[in-house]
Amino acid sequence: MSRKIFIWVAHPKPASLCAALADAYEAGARSEGADIRRLDLADMDFNGSTEVAKHSPLESDLIAWQEALAWCDHVMIVHPYWWGAMPARAKAVLDRALSSGFAFKYHERGMGWDKLLKGRTADALITSDTPPLLDTILYRKPGRRVLRNQVLGFVGIRMRKIVQLGSVKLANPQRLGTWIERAHTMGRKAA
């Protein structure tokens, strides 16, 4: 049985290094027989204001995002690292679609909760202008920690591999090619 992989490109622009990395990951996974569903943030249409949308039903693109996540065995998230986190529009998808009753459920008593997306694994590729070593030493890798622990871990998804690639602004074509190949290899291994 082939592995079901959901690839989410969480970059607000359609032509980006993140999209190229996702293309390579997808090609690698498909080469090993994986079944793929993919959504690109740049193509998603939804209200990104969590205050306005808090009392509104989910738009069709957010429902499709939830359906892809519920369907998959493994999720791949590719996003840029802006101001220590993923872009606000990508975060808005998480705020709205990883909702109570779908991704988690608080217990009626006490502080506990059920992780409703248990059994899934994840990979993540994060692009940044900040060199990963500097991000680790100076800032203690906040983007990687939040994604691993407070987002995916909170809902039961186990992070398999999280890689921060940088510095993008200093990368030459050879280094970019190395990153693309790494994404392809990660996709093959995920399948």
Side-chain angles (χ1 to χ4, degrees), residues 15 19-20 37 42 60 73 76 138 152 161-163 181-182 191:
R37 289 189 188 175
S60 61
D73 307 310
M76 166 51 137
L138 288 182
L152 299 177
K161 189 154 188 93
I162 187 165
V163 177
E181 184 54 41
R182 185 173 189 180

Side-chain angles (χ1 to χ4, degrees), residues 109-178:
R109 299 173 56 102
M111 300 270 304
W113 70 95
D114 295 321
K115 299 176 179 187
L116 301 180
L117 297 174
K118 267 187 172 171
R120 290 166 182 79
T121 56
D123 284 331
L125 283 169
I126 302 170
T127 61
S128 69
D129 285 335
T130 306
L133 182 61
L134 188 64
D135 186 61
T136 299
I137 293 170
L138 288 182
Y139 307 116
R140 297 185 356 247
K141 56 186 176 185
R144 289 174 275 170
R145 280 188 297 114
V146 166
L147 189 59
R148 177 188 308 272
N149 300 325
Q150 286 103 333
V151 176
L152 299 177
F154 186 86
V155 300
I157 299 172
R158 185 180 59 78
M159 183 63 75
R160 194 178 67 85
K161 189 154 188 93
I162 187 165
V163 177
Q164 184 173 337
L165 302 170
S167 166
V168 172
K169 73 178 187 174
L170 300 177
N172 59 33
Q174 181 182 355
R175 179 162 212 138
L176 293 172
T178 301

Side-chain angles (χ1 to χ4, degrees), residues 16-37:
S16 65
L17 175 58
C18 289
L21 292 165
D23 291 345
Y25 187 96
E26 181 175 353
R30 284 191 190 281
S31 75
E32 296 295 322
D35 191 7
I36 305 291
R37 289 189 188 175

Side-chain angles (χ1 to χ4, degrees), residues 94-105:
L94 301 178
D95 290 341
R96 297 219 30 232
L98 286 181
S99 55
S100 178
F102 169 73
F104 65 95
K105 184 174 188 226

